[in-house]
Amino acid sequence: MWREIKLLAASKPDIASMSDAAADAIVAENLTLTGSIGVVTSKFNMGKLYKKIGFDKEIISRGNLQRLEEAELFAKSAQNSYKQFRDKAASSKSMTIDKMEEVAQGRVWAGKDAASRDLVNVIGGLSQVVAIAKLKENIPQDTEVLVVSGEQQSLQS
């Protein structure tokens, strides 16, 4: 998703009203829950099911990974996903990784607190998003525009 937004941003304004993606300008209302720069991972524990149905498994492995426990591999994978996400968020906000780390790690902020931490560019609502998009595209502010949400688009498809 991040890659596609960056490709689209080369030709169109990239303004988010607290969507699930990074953008050139992020607008949030004062109490919008903002942040959660982190990852959540999970896995199925099939042990009880295997026992119930009489399934037995044997793991045969070779190479460097055989010494690492499954939980350790899982933790390393989650940490790698987190670092990629954090680094993309830092890049999108023109922050150093260290500065992003101070506000990341899954923390959540109210919109105005997120703005004070440079996670949000502007406090406002949809009208502010439209005004920023018009400004970026040199559209006069008094020009009427049609706002189409993702739900409306999918209904029209």
Side-chain angles (χ1 to χ4, degrees):
M1 181 185 293
W2 184 82
R3 179 184 170 277
E4 295 303 315
I5 289 171
K6 289 301 167 196
L7 289 173
L8 182 64
S11 63
K12 297 188 183 300
D14 182 22
I15 300 104
S17 177
M18 286 314 301
S19 73
D20 58 353
D24 291 337
I26 298 178
V27 179
E29 295 186 9
N30 277 326
L31 297 178
T32 300
L33 292 180
T34 307
S36 190
I37 296 167
V39 296
V40 176
T41 58
S42 63
K43 65 177 186 158
F44 291 108
N45 182 340
M46 305 293 283
K48 289 182 181 180
L49 175 62
Y50 288 166
K51 187 173 181 175
K52 183 176 182 177
I53 64 173
F55 179 81
D56 192 21
K57 70 176 182 174
E58 182 178 346
I59 299 173
I60 301 171
S61 63
R62 64 181 272 186
N64 292 339
L65 297 180
Q66 78 183 48
R67 286 178 239 132
L68 295 176
E69 294 292 326
E70 184 178 306
E72 188 177 347
L73 284 171
F74 191 76
K76 284 185 179 198
S77 175
Q79 186 64 26
N80 184 49
S81 294
Y82 167 74
K83 285 179 181 177
Q84 287 180 15
F85 183 42
R86 178 206 58 204
D87 294 356
K88 287 177 182 174
S91 173
S92 293
K93 298 302 294 168
S94 300
M95 283 185 185
T96 66
I97 291 171
D98 288 340
K99 184 172 181 185
M100 180 57 72
E101 188 68 19
E102 291 174 13
V103 295
Q105 299 181 24
R107 293 181 187 95
V108 179
W109 315 95
K112 66 180 182 174
D113 295 325
S116 73
R117 290 168 172 83
D118 298 324
L119 295 174
V120 169
N121 301 91
V122 177
I123 296 297
L126 187 57
S127 61
Q128 188 68 34
V129 171
V130 172
I132 293 168
K134 286 179 180 180
L135 187 64
K136 284 183 172 275
E137 287 299 300
N138 297 317
I139 298 171
Q141 290 297 317
D142 60 351
T143 301
E144 197 170 313
V145 295
L146 175 65
V147 177
V148 180
S149 74
E151 293 85 25
Q152 290 171 330
Q153 257 183 336
S154 64
L155 291 175
Q156 293 174 353
S157 302

